[in-house]
């Protein structure tokens, strides 16, 4: 097993890694939500107040992946998602500013999904999600057209689509369209908690036709019943042509045909918020594959993007729209100042 992540003969691009023209588009089908990020410097205090720095930002695993793919060099990224009327215009503006072509369906009844992200302000910056999926999981077969694959070289599915009946039906239709067109499909399982509720066997049965699986450590172990992530990745690669297991600070594993082919080390970072780190990895990984890289090199790009992500608040990269990035930088500086200005003392003195 390689420790460098460089592509040896067994790890050079294959059918699951690179297909279609290099300048073809990436189509992401997935969730668009509003994230309310609360970064607290001390333990949560049940029954009373806990001081936190709170910020509302655009999010959603599918939307985050799309934005990171653009940031990492993919010139044509499209996103199919469903949002509520309450914030449809805002999300469309944010995606457009991030270089993504939004293909958003406005739900007439449900509001945009909302996720409360509780971020530990300690060294780990670990996050806990409280999720109201809202309109995001109401994406359904009637929102799909095979024409959406015109010019598309790769299709990526957010695993959150597997956790409601309408979006599961959509997945089936999308996978059939991709098979007909010969477009390779990648999938991020998205949530160990939701996977447990759905059932592992049911989830795996719905994944028929997926070419690249990108699970986290916990998801890989859950899907196989194995405690060792390397063994889990190898086992999953007997079912999926390519498996890339994301291990956070331990890097990533690239597996195929029942064995781990590369262990890519993590890039160094000082975590502030781990929200969206896996999405950043996935977006950069797919952008690298589209640029012609092999899976080891693409995983290295993914690790580098994940490191950038954990040093930012929220799950998106900096936007490259004119004038927008400076606004974001000012907001983050204000956030950091709030965290370090003795907010707890000010609160206590009210």
């Amino acid at each position: 097993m390689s420790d460098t992540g460089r592509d040896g003969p067994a790890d050079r691009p294959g059918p699951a890694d690179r297909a279609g023209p290099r300048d073809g588009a990436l189509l992401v089908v997935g969730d668009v939500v509003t994230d309310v990020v609360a970064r607290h410097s001390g333990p949560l205090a049940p029954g009373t107040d806990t001081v936190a720095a709170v910020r509302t930002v655009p999010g959603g695993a599918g939307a985050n992946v799309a934005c990171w793919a653009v940031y990492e060099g993919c010139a044509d990224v499209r996103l199919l998602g469903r949002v509520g009327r309450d914030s449809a215009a805002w999300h469309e503006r944010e995606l457009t500013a991030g270089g993504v072509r939004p293909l958003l369906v406005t739900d007439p009844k449900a509001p945009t999904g909302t996720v409360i992200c509780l971020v530990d302000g300690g060294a780990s910056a670990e996050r806990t999600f409280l999720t109201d999926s809202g309109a995001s999981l109401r994406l359904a077969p009637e929102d799909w057209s095979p024409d959406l694959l015109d010019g598309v070289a790769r299709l990526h599915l957010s695993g959150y689509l597997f956790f409601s009946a309408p979006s599961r039906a959509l997945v089936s239709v999308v996978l059939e369209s991709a098979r007909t067109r010969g477009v390779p499909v990648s999938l991020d399982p998205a949530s160990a908690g939701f996977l447990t509720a759905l059932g592992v066997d049911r989830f795996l049965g719905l994944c028929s036709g997926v070419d690249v699986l990108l699970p986290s450590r916990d998801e890989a172990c859950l899907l196989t019943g194995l405690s060792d992530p390397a063994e889990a990745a190898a086992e999953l690669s007997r079912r999926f042509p390519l498996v890339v297991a994301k291990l956070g600070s331990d890097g990533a594993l690239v597996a195929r045909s029942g064995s781990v082919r590369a262990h890519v080390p993590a890039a160094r970072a000082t975590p502030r918020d781990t929200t969206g780190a896996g999405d950043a990895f996935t977006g950069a990984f797919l952008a690298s594959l589209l640029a012609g890289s092999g899976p080891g090199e693409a995983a290295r790009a993914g690790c580098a993007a994940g490191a950038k992500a954990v040093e930012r608040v929220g799950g998106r990269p900096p936007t490259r729209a004119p004038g927008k990035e400076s606004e974001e930088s000012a907001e983050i500086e204000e956030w950091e100042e709030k965290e370090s200005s003795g907010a707890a003392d000010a609160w206590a003195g009210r």
Side-chain angles (χ1 to χ4, degrees), residues 25-28 61-78 98-100 156 279-291 305 315-317 320:
L26 169 66
L27 173 62
V28 179
N64 293 345
V65 167
C67 288
W68 277 102
V70 171
Y71 188 76
E72 293 297 323
C74 190
D76 186 352
V77 180
R78 310 163 190 180
V100 175
H156 178 72
D279 303 332
F281 180 105
T282 297
F285 177 84
L286 295 174
S288 187
L289 286 188
L290 277 166
R316 302 271 179 95
R320 288 175 170 166

Side-chain angles (χ1 to χ4, degrees), residues 24-47:
L26 169 66
L27 173 62
V28 179
V29 182
D31 48 318
V32 181
V33 305
T34 300
D35 284 346
V36 180
V37 183
R39 194 167 189 266
H40 52 95
S41 57
L44 296 175

Side-chain angles (χ1 to χ4, degrees), residues 159 162-163 187-192 194-196 198-207 210 213-229 231-233 235-237 239-240 243-245:
F162 287 73
F163 305 134
L187 167 67
D188 186 331
S191 170
F194 284 167
L195 277 175
T196 300
L198 177 66
V200 167
D201 290 342
R202 188 179 184 191
F203 176 82
L204 291 173
L206 292 166
C207 292
V210 168
L213 188 73
L214 295 133
S216 68
R217 180 201 309 265
D218 289 346
E219 292 155 4
C221 292
L222 175 62
L223 288 171
T224 59
L226 300 170
S227 59
D228 180 83
E231 293 180 2
E235 181 62 27
L236 285 170
S237 72
R239 180 184 289 266
F240 301 94
V243 173
V244 182

Side-chain angles (χ1 to χ4, degrees), residues 84-119:
R85 290 174 176 168
D86 55 316
S87 58
W90 178 60
H91 279 291
E92 182 161 338
R93 284 196 304 271
E94 291 294 322
L95 288 165
T96 300
V100 175
R101 188 193 306 182
L103 307 171
L104 299 183
V105 179
T106 301
D107 195 292
K109 296 180 180 179
T112 301
T114 301
V115 176
I116 308 297
C117 310
L118 304 178
V119 181

Side-chain angles (χ1 to χ4, degrees), residues 40-65:
H40 52 95
S41 57
L44 296 175
T48 185
D49 297 297
T50 299
V51 174
V54 181
R55 187 175 177 217
T56 300
V57 294
N64 293 345
V65 167

